[in-house]
Amino acid sequence: MIIEVITIFPDFFDSPLRAGVLRRAVDAGIIEFRTVNLRDYTSDRHRTTDDRPFGGGEGMVMIPEPIFKAVDDLRRASPPPEVIMLTPRGERLDNRIARELANKKRLVFLCGRYEGIDERVASGCIDRELSIGDYVLSGGETAALVAMEVITRFIPGVLGCGTSAENDSFTTGLIEHPQYTRPREFRGMKVPDVLLNGNHRDIATWRRQQSLRLTYERRPDLLEKAELDRDDMEFLKRLGYRPEAAG
Ligand code: ADE
């Protein structure tokens, strides 16, 4: 997959791409990453990318021309990319969207800055608007990084050792069960016995029940969509879960 990011802060991405899953994916040739400096598409001496809003008001708005030029340029590639703008008003990024985008050959992320982007960019230049949550960042760069990481985790071959984003919390529809490692006792806190006795069926049951318990306590909304069997339902009912009362 080729990921291109249009930004006025290309350096922003240097360090995150040198660590963790993104680095491994780049090193393995699974993703290719490029930044595109929006200022390279400006046409004035000052390399201007923003201007004052028509109608007045605080702050600056990103002008359409350099963005359209940059996107036009990147759309000439084959296959053409899906062009995504990061903005708090976009569709909320989740695992479903990440999995869908992990199948694309090319993605372009457009990072906005300042107080906004001329509306003609949204209506005439991009394919999709994505948000990473109900809060406002000072720019789309951090959001683009989040999106890149979560999408990359769904590309086959990125997570090694037979692990997969498909087993993570939320992908299974439930919060993941707790994990423990050595030592068996730490500051008086013991690892649950069931994990030490080597009985794989008991361990699987315990993990499933812990996953259900955590989801019930913290994100009961997820239970409505999760795939639950009879044992799951019985366990949840013992905790007090009433499906008809939920939501
Ligand atoms: N840009 C500013 N805030 C954002 C958010 N919450 N998600 C995506 N892009 C943004």
Side-chain angles (χ1 to χ4, degrees), residues 31 34 83 101 104 138 182 206 240:
I31 61 171
R34 295 184 205 129
V83 181
L101 294 175
K104 307 276 178 189
S138 48
R182 284 185 287 190
W206 182 85

Side-chain angles (χ1 to χ4, degrees), residues 17-60:
L17 278 150
R18 285 202 306 268
V21 73
L22 288 172
R23 185 202 182 129
R24 284 206 306 279
V26 170
D27 286 351
I30 295 171
I31 61 171
E32 200 179 307
F33 177 79
R34 295 184 205 129
T35 50
V36 174
N37 190 340
L38 187 63
R39 294 198 195 279
D40 292 345
Y41 290 89
T42 54
S43 44
D44 65 317
R45 205 159 51 90
H46 302 290
R47 314 227 294 162
T48 307
T49 55
D50 63 328
D51 207 336
R52 284 166 305 167
F54 277 127
E58 292 287 301
M60 301 291 270

Side-chain angles (χ1 to χ4, degrees), residues 155-177:
I155 302 176
V158 167
L159 299 183
C161 317
T163 50
S164 146
E166 298 297 340
N167 298 327
D168 286 348
S169 290
F170 303 110
T171 312
T172 60
L174 299 174
I175 294 177
E176 199 176 39
H177 59 78

Side-chain angles (χ1 to χ4, degrees), residues 86-88 112 130-140 143:
L86 284 315
T87 163
L130 284 185
S131 162
I132 62 161
D134 290 345
Y135 37 77
V136 177
L137 305 161
S138 48

